[in-house]
Amino acid sequence: ETAELIGAEAAGVVRFDDALTGTVMGVHAPGHVGAAPGSRVDLSLPTAAGGVAGTGRVARVGGGGSQHPNVLVPGVCVSSAVAAPIRVDNRLWGAIAAVTTQADDPLGPATADRLERMGHLISLAVMSSDARARLATLASTDELTGLPNRRSFMRRLREEIERAGRHERPLSLVMIDVDHFKRINDTLGHGAGDRVLMGVAATLFRSVRDSETVARVGGEEFAWILPETDGSGAGAAAERVRASLAAVDAGAAGPVPASM
């Protein structure tokens, strides 16, 4: 939409990773091979996007028949490029840029204003997307431990049961309960109990493989899904983790025994 609105041959969005590097989020460049989304760009080059990264303001390069490299269409020198900042939560998030190879430079004085307005629209879209992602994370994550919560766990368990049945592969489930947890809360307080649960969660997280899922499903109850693992394998894994939990430094609470 930006490219067509201002008559540019290409337009795109670059997210700034730091002051010197960025990531291409998307490019529209009909008739050219635009930079692939996810490709890295060097913001130290004399480009419009690099100018925004350095100043936080609208930047322009080219004009007057000169040729410049650009980050949107690699290997094609442009006669003019303009970029405007995209700010998210009052920080410089990236830039939207437009380029042309035409010598008569259709990117006139009004281009900067239009790009700034587009940058504002993009910032609203990014903030909305970030907010939805945060809500999704909150809905599926246990606030205290950072592990998946019961709702997320049940969804994953259904998926793994279906997959195991479809492919006739083994699947194991280990239920974990911290022993005597009420005694810890009653004698040392809920703060001590929370620290024990966080220590247990950290130990479990370090102990599972990438293909496995461990979640907090109740007060002191955790669950561990082990795809491609039969009963004897799960039993051995559970014993290994039980020994690791017994070595957790829980301060005044002492060792952390668990039943599985």
Side-chain angles (χ1 to χ4, degrees):
E1 294 298 330
T2 297
E4 294 180 4
L5 177 67
I6 63 179
E9 290 178 64
V13 172
V14 177
R15 185 190 66 207
F16 299 155
D17 300 321
D18 51 48
L20 297 177
T21 59
T23 300
V24 173
M25 305 304 291
V27 172
H28 176 74
H32 299 282
V33 179
S39 58
R40 301 295 294 275
V41 296
D42 185 353
L43 298 175
S44 67
L45 296 175
T47 62
V52 172
T55 66
R57 298 189 296 271
V58 171
R60 177 187 289 268
V61 297
S66 59
Q67 295 288 303
H68 293 266
N70 75 97
V71 299
L72 303 183
V73 189
V76 176
C77 288
V78 301
S79 61
S80 181
V82 183
I86 300 170
R87 298 185 180 278
V88 176
D89 293 331
N90 294 319
R91 63 180 176 85
L92 185 60
W93 181 91
I96 178 169
V99 302
T100 182
T101 62
Q102 300 177 39
D104 58 356
D105 188 6
L107 308 182
T111 298
D113 290 338
R114 289 173 173 170
L115 282 181
E116 283 189 294
R117 289 197 293 272
M118 283 293 186
H120 178 64
L121 292 175
I122 293 172
S123 72
L124 295 176
V126 171
M127 286 190 288
S128 176
S129 177
D130 286 350
R132 288 196 300 271
R134 285 194 294 270
L135 288 173
T137 298
L138 289 172
S140 61
T141 304
D142 176 61
E143 183 177 4
L144 177 65
T145 65
L147 295 178
N149 59 19
R150 182 183 182 89
R151 175 184 177 185
S152 178
F153 164 78
M154 293 302 296
R155 181 173 63 249
R156 180 64 184 271
L157 180 60
R158 285 192 295 269
E159 293 171 354
E160 290 295 345
I161 289 174
E162 180 182 348
R163 189 181 70 86
R166 185 168 62 250
H167 298 289
E168 298 185 349
R169 302 298 299 166
L171 172 69
S172 291
L173 171 65
V174 177
M175 302 301 296
I176 304 164
D177 188 85
V178 179
D179 295 336
H180 315 303
F181 185 72
K182 185 177 184 300
R183 183 188 307 166
I184 295 174
N185 278 339
D186 291 344
T187 59
L188 299 176
H190 289 279
D194 286 349
R195 287 190 291 273
V196 168
L197 292 176
M198 288 187 287
V200 169
T203 300
L204 292 173
F205 182 78
R206 289 192 299 266
S207 302
V208 304
R209 296 176 296 183
D210 290 342
S211 61
E212 300 170 351
T213 299
V214 64
R216 184 186 180 198
V217 295
E220 68 274 20
E221 298 170 351
F222 298 82
W224 179 12
I225 304 171
L226 297 89
E228 303 290 335
T229 305
D230 61 15
S232 60
E239 176 56 29
R240 171 174 50 82
V241 172
R242 188 201 61 76
S244 297
L245 288 176
V248 170
D249 182 9
V256 181
S259 300
M260 302 192 184

